Amino acid sequence: MLSRGERIVWAVVAAATLAGTGAAWFTREAWLPEAGPWLQQLWRKSTRPGPETLPPGKRPAQSGNAAKGDAAPPPPPPRKCVAADGRVTYTNEPCPKGAREQAVDGAVSVLPQ
């Protein structure tokens, strides 16, 4: 049996939890758009964990050269070439003559093979 003080503490904790839950429910329009993607990612990762969450002895074996440590070298970084007339070209080779190279801002998702 809990003492009177313990019952009071647990009642205060329960009331605070209930009040916090109610406040979160009524203000969800303000914080849910920002927290929604994070919550979806957390839910996905907790319900469908990948092989990186397994202990080292239980992970699936890598196939091919990656298992031996002979991984292919990374591709060259993308380059942004600006021609004299203002035309912009993205490539993974050196810029042609007459074009100046600039830093690639943002992410490049597709490069020619």
Side-chain angles (χ1 to χ4, degrees), residues 18-95:
L18 189 61
T21 304
W25 178 261
F26 284 113
T27 61
R28 68 186 180 275
E29 291 87 15
W31 58 265
L32 194 57
E34 290 85 15
W38 180 81
L39 291 171
Q40 287 176 349
Q41 180 183 8
L42 179 67
W43 178 255
R44 192 176 311 116
K45 201 165 203 89
S46 63
T47 57
R48 291 180 289 279
E52 69 275 359
T53 60
L54 294 172
K58 302 277 186 177
R59 292 183 185 168
Q62 293 179 342
S63 61
N65 292 339
K68 299 176 196 165
D70 298 338
R79 300 170 189 239
K80 179 180 179 181
C81 303
V82 180
D85 60 355
R87 242 184 14 219
V88 177
T89 306
Y90 292 93
T91 181
N92 58 348
E93 298 174 357
C95 290

